Amino acid sequence: MGQGPSLPGPPGTKFRVIGAGMSRTGTKTLNEALTILLDGPVHDSGIQSLGGPVDQIKAWLDIMELAPKARTFSEQKKLDWLISEVLDGYVATMDCPAATLTPEIMRVYPDAVVICTTRDQASWWKSMNYLNSLMGTWYLPLVVLWLHKTQVYGVWRDRFHHIMMWRYQQEKIEEDTLRKHEEHLRQVVPPEKLFFYEVSQGWEPLCKILNVPIPDRPFPHNNSKGDAAQTFRDHIIAGLISWAFMLMALSMVIWFVRVWILQRFSS
């Protein structure tokens, strides 16, 4: 939330960073910082899988469905192909669901470094729980039912729950998910490839990780709690407007049918 979808660069663009931080750890800020430092588009998987181009939405739904059950060689190769196809043209990926699939993305991009944004557990959960309260409302899938791209939200949420259960034995993001996620990264990512980073540290440690010069511009700060709430309100308003148009169209159809019936039987 707080940013729009990004378009890929030229095919074959060097993919350099797996952004493995859990949501609400500064992922949107790192997204903007990497766009500046690596001079290329970052693939925010949360945004792209829900509001990106239709082909990317479909690809992420396929990835989310296949990943937990890819056992055979052919299934793993299909998963590799889906990941490489959706990330081609980007310099990095960010946020969930991609962060939960770090080992699978590493298999496709073994030379990439893994940067995990992190923060204090208590402050993270306060922020994450607030986002959960917005995105987990029972009425959201119903309200956005007629919005073209957000029609997939219910399917996306179900598949993300399956990934969470497969990877962390939790159906959704909970208070200890940050700890479980970071422990999992320590187990599956080689130590020389794994970097934990707090966005409050600014440019210096990030530029050191990437071996690039510090840019002569302010460090970005993106996606505050207010941004998330505003994006949620925007979707609710758009959804209610779409319902108003649908109900208006249905009323007109009923009116025309009623007129046609009255004319037919009165003649």
Side-chain angles (χ1 to χ4, degrees):
M1 292 182 175
Q3 292 178 334
S6 60
L7 296 176
T13 296
K14 184 174 177 57
F15 184 91
R16 296 186 56 184
V17 175
I18 300 171
M22 188 57 65
S23 301
R24 308 309 296 172
T25 58
T27 54
K28 298 298 184 286
T29 294
L30 180 59
N31 183 324
E32 190 170 341
L34 290 178
T35 300
I36 295 168
L37 294 177
L38 302 181
D39 192 29
V42 174
H43 185 101
D44 187 310
S45 62
I47 292 174
Q48 303 293 142
S49 64
L50 283 170
V54 173
D55 61 329
Q56 289 194 11
I57 293 174
K58 183 182 183 305
W60 271 112
L61 289 177
D62 290 343
I63 290 169
M64 294 167 75
E65 181 181 29
L66 180 59
K69 58 185 181 183
R71 299 286 185 271
T72 67
F73 179 80
S74 61
E75 288 172 338
Q76 290 181 352
K77 284 302 178 184
K78 181 179 180 181
L79 181 61
D80 291 349
W81 180 83
L82 286 168
I83 291 173
S84 64
E85 185 77 4
V86 81
L87 296 182
D88 188 31
Y90 292 92
V91 296
T93 189
M94 197 66 56
D95 221 319
C96 294
T100 65
L101 300 175
T102 296
E104 289 71 26
I105 299 174
M106 285 175 54
R107 192 169 63 227
V108 179
Y109 297 104
D111 295 331
V113 296
V114 178
I115 300 179
C116 178
T117 45
T118 189
R119 64 187 288 189
D120 170 72
Q121 169 79 29
S123 66
W124 169 79
W125 178 241
K126 183 178 180 180
S127 178
M128 191 69 240
N129 198 34
Y130 176 74
L131 183 61
N132 283 344
S133 70
L134 296 179
M135 300 303 292
T137 51
W138 63 268
Y139 56 82
L140 182 60
L142 179 63
V143 171
V144 301
L145 181 63
W146 302 112
L147 297 181
H148 177 58
K149 289 183 177 179
T150 51
Q151 288 174 349
V152 302
Y153 176 67
V155 178
W156 187 99
R157 185 167 62 176
D158 287 343
R159 294 185 182 178
F160 186 64
H161 286 173
H162 289 150
I163 288 177
M164 290 294 297
M165 184 62 70
W166 163 63
R167 186 117 282 173
Y168 311 113
Q169 295 74 55
Q170 297 174 328
E171 192 177 72
K172 59 183 180 179
I173 296 178
E174 299 177 358
E175 190 168 359
D176 65 341
T177 301
L178 183 64
R179 175 186 60 79
K180 286 189 172 185
H181 173 66
E182 293 182 357
E183 285 180 355
H184 175 256
L185 292 177
R186 290 185 179 95
Q187 292 170 3
V188 299
V189 181
E192 67 276 11
K193 291 279 189 180
L194 178 60
F195 300 90
F196 289 92
Y197 167 70
E198 295 186 24
V199 295
S200 60
Q201 296 173 313
W203 286 123
E204 187 173 353
L206 182 59
C207 292
K208 186 176 180 180
I209 293 169
L210 298 172
N211 194 27
V212 296
I214 297 174
D216 185 21
R217 59 187 296 176
F219 188 77
H221 291 283
N222 207 327
N223 197 228
S224 68
K225 186 176 179 180
D227 291 333
Q230 184 59 53
T231 302
F232 177 79
R233 286 193 293 268
D234 290 345
H235 278 79
I236 292 297
I237 291 170
L240 291 175
I241 291 173
S242 69
W243 268 103
F245 276 109
M246 290 301 299
L247 292 174
M248 187 183 305
L250 180 61
S251 299
M252 291 178 65
V253 170
I254 292 173
W255 183 82
F256 279 116
V257 170
R258 180 174 178 273
V259 170
W260 178 81
I261 292 174
L262 289 174
Q263 290 177 342
R264 183 175 180 85
F265 288 97
S266 62
S267 57

